[in-house]
Amino acid sequence: MRALLASLLIAFGAAGVQPAFAQGTPFSMSPGRPAAAPTAPAPPPSGPQGAPPTAAPFSMQPAPAGPARSTQQPVAKPPASPDMAPQGPRATNPPQASGAPRSDTAQLVATNSVMSRNGQPLERPLLPFESVRLDGENDSRSWTFHLTHDEAASGASISIGYQNAVVVMPEASRLRAVINEETVVNIPIASAQGIQQTVIPIRAGLLRGGQNIIRLEAIQRHRTDCTIASTYELWTNVDAASTKLVFAAGATRTLRSLEDLPAIGADVKGVTTIRVVAPKVYRPEIRDRLLRLVQMIALRGRYAHPVIQVVESDSGPTPVGTIRVIMGIASELRGMVAALPDAAAVQPLSIMMQDTTNSPPFLVVTGPTWNDLDTAINIVGTAAINARGVERNAVDTASWHWPEIPTVLGERSIRFSDMGVPTQEFSGRRLRVRFAVNFPSDFYATDYGEAALMLDAAYTPAVKPGSHFDIYVNDRISATMTITSRSGVFRQHLIRIPLKNFKAGINHVSLEAILLTDADERCAPGETLSETNRFVLFDSTSFDVPDYGRMGRQPDLAVLSTGGFPYGDLAATFVLARPDPLNYAASGTLLARMARDSGEPVRAQFANAATAGDQSVIFIGTIDQLPPGLLGRVKVSDNLRMIWQSTPAPTNLNPGGTESSNGLLGNAGSGVPSGRMTLDQGDLNSTEEIRKRWTETFQRRGILQQTFDTLRGWMEQTFNLSLASLKFDDATNLPYEPPQRTTLLLAQNRTSGPGSWTVVTARTEEALAKEMARLTSPLLWSQVSGQAVALEPAEAKLDIRPIDDVGFVQTQPLSFMNLRLVAANWMSINILQYALVMVIFCILLGSATYLLLNRLGRRS
Amino acid sequence: MDYPADKMTVWLLDDGGTDEKCNSPNAASAKEAQERRAELQALCAALGVNYLTRARNKSAKAGNLNNGLEHSTGDLVAVFDADHAPARDFLRETVGFFSTEKDLFLVQTPHFFINPDPVERNLGTFTTMPSENEMFYGVIQRGLDKWNASFFCGSAAILKRDALQETNGFSGLSITEDCETALELHSRGWRSLYVDKPLIAGLQPESFASFIGQRSRWGMGMMQILRYRFPPLKRGLKFAQRLCYMSSTLFWLFPFTRFCFLISPLCYLFFSMEIFTASGGEFLAYTSTYMMVNLMMQNYLYGRYRWPWISDLYEYIQTIYLLPSLLSVIANPSKPTFKVTAKNEDMRQSQVSELGAPYFIVFGILLLGVVATAVRVWAEPYKADVTLVTGAWNLVNLIIAGCALGVVSERATRRQSHRVLVDRPCRFLMGDKMVEGTVRDVSVGGANIRLSQSSLPGMKRGALGTLEFKPLSELPVNQLPLEIRKMSMDDKGVLIGCRFLTETPEHHRLIADLAFANSDQWSHFQTRRHQDIGILRGTLWFLTMSLYQTGRGLGYLLGLQRFGASIPPAPAVKEA
């Protein structure tokens, strides 16, 4: 089906070719919106691909014909309408002349079949993820996008495409888009049948060059039901393909300098592809520099989800959300870049360029010698290098989460106003606000610490006692507080949140207020329409974290995702199994992600094989390419080799890209990161599962045993005490067997020295590159922790093996207070040792008292 | 008394026959005082004891003692209350320390009682459970003694005259000058000693009201000492002594804590005042852990001296009246206005004590608290966890209050004088016949004798006879006339209950020898009671006792005790 469409479009394109593809301007945004069809430039997390992706990008752009050059032509509009076929658009208009897109008609669907003389308007996808889902009675997302000055100066409209649940009442529900603090879109939510697209012009002057902040808000109310459970049925899906910025006719896209790198933006799936073209990539000199360069570019561009592609020769134009980078020694680049400036032969050069042949602009990094090439690479990443070593107090997540997520390095109190949660009055029944905090990699306080939420809120007498606040951390319930009096005001009211469900890295916390009212119980018709405010949450509410123990742990994969890698003084050694483009792509994606998390390039050196002097080593390669014994060293079962070689790669079972396979935003309750205990629904063949099923069905247990088991379960749940934690010896040293359908595996183990060995592996090289791109999506990547992580093929889920054999790494200067907190946490985990220490101390105290009393006072 | 007679003088200090009282304007009391003076003077003359009285009843007991000090000459002064009978070896056990220890001013011995205090009597625990005073005398004073801080308890002690002269006798600002004097002497560098052997036998107050009055005086006195002398900062005391005196005085602040303990759950149950910001589960976890550890520690440290939950009971009983006393002392230290006086000492009827009304009121309030718990759980289910935990707290208070109802329901006691069980061989003479026998128990007024021979002609009620036995001390006479009041038979022989016909002072000596001379019988009795009941059994025992006593108390309130059984005899001090 898709192939047919593709060929149709190519035919169309070939037919009405001319000014459609007027690549007049040197810096134009390349057309070719990647369809939902099998394009592989950036395999998104939902991956509706069937066929394994190929290395060469496949773009929908027809062959560049007849370049009629005119500098001020509007750029082509890519064939887009049939792309929406899988989502079932409301109406597919026949291809119409696109004219100036400055209309606020309800539906605007454009193709490029008949090209007007003005050309097609410039477009830019807005969403940072493949799909953004706003659920509950109120929800919002906020992020930033970059524009060049030229784009900002030209007028633009915003196009929003969304679909909502049937039960959302249009009269009471509104979808808002706020750009730079000004409401631009304010429409009722009324598109249950399919995706509805609205285009609204943005007033001139609102958009600015550089960073612009956009916030999507949805207020939804149920049509009929006033129960709390019904609020979980409300959702609105904002569609990435139809949510975009549409620039005015005549708008040009100019990427003039490195400063405009962030303006590349992302494609419809939220992925920014960095395609590196370098000659003879197998050479180690190229490899080292290439992998450094992609980190610099990712840092400079501040992309949400950078994915690297490596090609030996340029293969066609680049679609939206992709930047082509050409790197190499000036002498070698002459063949690839037609108009290489002469300065390249004399000095290091990092500039945006454009071919003479109307191709989109690309970044050229070159120099006469290898040293100059290094300097040129450093030019790209100056800001990041200069800020090296500074402990930042926020993570740069601007392109997918605004405001930037604060990093809590010690005692800190963060107000809601600083985390993007404004003061809000609420008239519904379930208010939810979300925020995120980041903990550094040496966060070691999950069993001991307690954070506090100092709540500033007020509620009217309509709210009955029995209403409660729930606090979810990483989608797990962490704290709850019941309202026990009528009509009160909370002034810095303390809610204690145990740090149990927090982890190193980004943590998503949500505060839910469940409000019970008499009006809701009666639920008169039209009750949900009511605008009477019942509750107000003030943004002076603050989230306070006390000082917590800081101790690095090995092995701990969370260190990769929090910028603390590697521990120790030496740089980490990245060992790439094969010097081929796919391996480079996978490694580059990983490095770019790690660099973006830490805000600076990773301290890394690259090699073909590990040497004895290496402290921390990361192996990247397919299962066949790994040296023997390596799997055993990271405590992964060697059977994996056999299993992966004998079973085929799992095909994608969800071709449609359904909601559940999207990023974890918006799924309240689902998409929970799976610890080891979560049953893998698809993996019914695992021995453990079968064993468990059979024993549970057939085991006959007496009443006593049952009561004992119930009691044991209750103790485990309430107090986190279990017989297993009373064992002295560490947990099993069995090697890890990932679920059978795993496509990508990360595993780490510590060495006898201060370093660690990490392995990244997949079945094939294509899988390695593609799955690594999936894994490094910001929401999925932040869940990586434990000592081994296995990625599910179909859904965005990880199977995480918790750490059982911990070695501690000192990351902070020695201080008594820190050691005290670390010891408290350790003893909370190892309760048997703690009990023994207590007993010993009591014995010491007793004997000391006895000896003392024997000497003092009157001898009796 | 086993002591060289020429080195010992006995003085009887009579404050009931002072000139002031004898010349009182009230004719009846004046006459009574004069008769008393005459009678006692005669007795003293007969026994070879010096009788002393004074002109005016100034400074109550302290003044009396000071008067005695002025008139006597001995180096050491032994003080006994009128109802404390010393054993023969009292001086032998205590005097020696004055030559071995340096700067000793006090040797204190424990107060042992041959009758139950009102709590023990009404609860019926005298023979099984260690007494309340055993905690103080058996554990605390021993501990204080280790740090040279055991203080004078008003009786059953020997003091050094030289030391007392430094303080001008027993003087002080409080109504418990005994402790105050000891404090003063300790601060001057004198030392004290405690001998942990019961060497005297005394009497507890009979009625609940007098018991409360006694405790109230002690509490007020200690508060006055705290206020006027402030032991923690007193010069001259060693650090350990400061701590010890602080402990002794601050102990009496327990009414405040116990009051808060009573009121706190009610604040929540009635008025929704949340005193603790904690969830029900947290509260339960902290308090139950604390209580369990507390009970275990108490059991380990002094399980044999104090059974579980009894401390709470005694505290609660005293709090009701001690709290106002303490408040009045704090408000007006020199002249506290709240006094508890016992008006009716008639114990022949079982009835609710005259001080019993507040206990029933408090019990009623706590019962309302239980009702409030139920109402709250039904009406506010979202707060059920807190409500239930608070309700459980209230229930604990209710159980203690229920037990206290039994305490204030006074059982009648028939005997005016209390029996001591002894087993002394004797001979019963009637006319010219003699029968071997054993004195089973003896009191000041009479004895029970078992005769080996079954019958004797002429033995019937009202017959006169003579008791002959070997006294422990050197006494000229060893025969005691008596009158048979009761006869009965059991499988071991004939039991006769007799009344002593005391005519001469020698007879008094004989009776004292028979009943009080042997201090070992006190030790044996105490040791028999030193059983550790354990936490679990103790709690269950307390619970069942409380339920029974609640019923009994409510029955007394409704006057049902009149339909009850006949009055049981008073429990007696048994030999091992």
Side-chain angles (χ1 to χ4, degrees), chain B residues 107-301:
Chain B
V107 175
Q108 174 73 46
T109 65
H111 293 191
F112 173 79
F113 300 103
I114 58 170
N115 70 329
D117 72 21
V119 179
E120 288 173 314
R121 186 187 66 240
N122 295 332
L123 295 181
T125 61
F126 183 61
T127 48
T128 44
M129 187 180 81
S131 287
E132 185 233 3
N133 54 77
E134 282 198 54
M135 178 70 172
F136 178 69
Y137 289 110
V139 179
I140 295 181
Q141 275 280 40
R142 269 173 45 203
L144 295 179
D145 182 45
K146 180 165 179 77
W147 303 106
N148 185 23
S150 57
F151 56 88
F152 177 43
C153 296
S155 168
I158 296 200
L159 300 113
K160 196 164 194 166
R161 180 182 290 272
D162 300 337
L164 289 174
Q165 271 169 353
E166 282 191 30
T167 58
N168 289 332
F170 299 95
S171 65
L173 300 165
S174 68
I175 54 180
T176 50
E177 331 75 13
D178 40 15
C179 181
E180 204 174 342
T181 310
L183 174 65
E184 183 62 37
L185 286 172
H186 272 130
S187 72
R188 284 171 193 261
W190 289 91
R191 298 157 61 81
S192 66
L193 196 94
Y194 177 75
V195 173
D196 184 28
K197 191 167 185 289
L199 296 169
I200 61 121
L203 288 178
Q204 295 261 27
E206 281 285 347
S207 71
F208 183 73
S210 49
F211 171 79
I212 291 288
Q214 181 191 58
R215 295 308 162 98
S216 170
R217 275 198 315 277
W218 293 356
M220 290 200 283
M222 284 304 205
M223 282 295 106
Q224 287 171 329
I225 291 178
L226 187 65
R227 160 79 175 77
Y228 288 125
R229 302 291 177 211
F230 204 61
L233 294 184
K234 193 160 174 61
R235 280 170 166 277
L237 286 179
K238 298 216 178 33
F239 179 69
Q241 286 174 326
R242 287 173 209 263
L243 288 180
C244 290
Y245 272 105
M246 207 167 78
S247 146
S248 307
T249 48
L250 290 181
F251 161 75
W252 290 95
L253 289 176
F254 70 80
F256 294 110
T257 55
R258 183 55 52 171
F259 178 69
C260 291
F261 198 75
L262 272 178
I263 295 297
S264 303
L266 296 177
C267 283
Y268 174 75
L269 291 171
F270 291 151
F271 306 118
S272 295
M273 284 169 28
E274 293 190 22
I275 302 183
F276 296 104
T277 51
S279 72
E282 276 178 14
F283 189 71
L284 185 64
Y286 278 109
T287 51
S288 54
T289 322
Y290 170 72
M291 281 175 65
M292 265 202 296
V293 171
N294 219 352
L295 284 173
M296 291 201 285
M297 292 251 310
Q298 289 175 12
N299 185 50
Y300 172 71
L301 287 175

Side-chain angles (χ1 to χ4, degrees), chain A residues 161-507:
Chain A
Y162 70 95
Q163 186 182 9
N164 57 284
V166 168
V167 291
V168 175
M169 174 158 44
E171 295 84 353
S173 314
R174 300 203 75 78
L175 178 64
R176 266 201 282 264
V178 178
I179 297 185
N180 293 337
E181 304 301 321
E182 191 175 304
T183 306
V184 171
V185 175
N186 191 350
I187 51 176
I189 301 181
S191 167
Q193 253 54 48
I195 299 185
Q196 176 181 324
Q197 189 179 16
T198 311
V199 178
I200 296 180
I202 305 174
R203 77 167 170 84
L206 180 61
L207 294 175
R208 41 178 192 243
Q211 201 179 55
N212 294 269
I213 305 170
I214 178 171
R215 187 167 75 238
L216 278 184
E217 293 175 353
I219 299 176
Q220 304 176 88
R221 295 286 186 268
H222 204 278
R223 279 180 195 273
T224 55
D225 214 339
C226 312
T227 60
I228 303 287
S230 67
T231 62
Y232 289 96
E233 298 168 9
L234 304 164
W235 54 265
T236 297
N237 251 359
V238 183
D239 175 48
S242 46
T243 304
K244 52 201 175 203
L245 272 182
V246 180
F247 293 96
T252 58
R253 235 190 138 168
T254 51
L255 291 171
R256 298 182 193 277
S257 70
L258 294 174
E259 295 302 321
D260 290 331
L261 270 179
I264 298 287
D267 62 8
V268 232
K269 297 201 170 23
V271 169
T272 305
T273 307
I274 302 174
R275 189 192 312 155
V276 182
V277 184
K280 298 197 265 217
V281 294
Y282 55 83
R283 290 177 291 170
E285 311 88 80
I286 288 287
R287 170 196 66 198
D288 295 355
R289 287 167 181 82
L290 186 150
L291 292 174
R292 251 174 74 80
L293 175 61
V294 297
Q295 294 179 61
M296 302 295 187
I297 296 176
L299 284 171
R300 192 65 175 263
R302 303 176 69 188
Y303 305 121
H305 186 185
V307 168
I308 314 300
Q309 267 181 358
V310 176
V311 291
E312 291 242 2
S313 60
D314 197 1
S315 56
T318 47
V320 71
T322 304
I323 172 140
R324 190 157 46 111
V325 180
I326 303 190
M327 176 195 106
I329 304 280
S331 48
E332 296 173 0
L333 287 189
R334 273 197 204 291
M336 306 168 69
V337 179
L340 195 63
D342 294 328
V346 177
Q347 64 182 44
L349 207 58
S350 305
I351 50 165
M352 300 291 296
M353 265 193 63
Q354 205 214 355
D355 256 353
T356 52
T357 54
N358 279 343
S359 54
F362 49 91
L363 176 68
V364 172
V365 179
T366 182
T369 65
W370 292 111
N371 282 343
D372 293 316
L373 186 56
D374 283 333
T375 319
I377 292 175
N378 286 345
I379 293 176
V380 175
T382 346
I385 296 176
N386 286 345
R388 185 169 227 145
V390 171
E391 244 188 358
R392 296 167 183 76
N393 65 352
V395 186
D396 184 6
T397 60
S399 31
W400 55 278
H401 185 282
W402 180 261
E404 296 181 354
I405 297 179
T407 303
V408 179
L409 294 168
E411 188 173 351
R412 184 160 171 190
S413 167
I414 316 172
R415 291 163 59 114
F416 270 11
S417 48
D418 299 327
M419 291 198 282
V421 179
T423 300
Q424 42 199 289
E425 293 173 305
F426 187 63
S427 61
R429 41 220 57 80
R430 181 169 74 97
L431 170 73
R432 181 178 57 185
V433 296
R434 279 199 263 233
F435 59 94
V437 287
N438 178 50
F439 283 107
S441 56
D442 55 0
F443 173 69
Y444 188 59
T446 48
D447 285 85
Y448 173 68
E450 239 178 23
L453 189 76
M454 310 295 280
L455 186 67
D456 268 344
Y459 54 98
T460 61
V463 175
K464 293 196 299 193
S467 313
H468 51 102
F469 295 97
D470 294 332
I471 295 177
Y472 293 86
V473 175
N474 295 326
D475 288 325
R476 291 200 192 95
I477 179 82
S478 281
T480 177
M481 186 186 81
T482 316
I483 295 179
T484 55
S485 60
R486 286 217 169 241
S487 172
V489 175
F490 289 111
R491 255 184 273 272
Q492 294 289 298
H493 187 98
L494 175 75
I495 304 179
R496 285 203 199 88
I497 309 172
L499 290 178
K500 179 97 193 130
N501 293 326
F502 285 86
K503 58 177 180 52
I506 297 177
N507 296 270

Side-chain angles (χ1 to χ4, degrees), chain B residues 36-56:
Chain B
R36 178 190 168 109
R37 183 194 272 202
E39 180 186 345
L40 287 176
Q41 275 173 334
L43 179 64
C44 290
L47 287 172
V49 163
N50 297 345
Y51 176 86
L52 189 62
T53 189
R54 52 191 179 137
R56 305 194 43 231

Side-chain angles (χ1 to χ4, degrees), chain A residues 583-597:
Chain A
N583 208 319
Y584 286 2
S587 319
T589 308
L590 178 63
L591 281 164
R593 178 81 254 158
M594 287 168 64
R596 278 284 287 134
D597 287 330

Side-chain angles (χ1 to χ4, degrees), chain B residues 61 79-85 111 153-156:
Chain B
K61 178 170 167 183
V79 179
F80 300 105
D81 275 355
D83 52 358
H84 287 179
H111 293 191
C153 296
S155 168

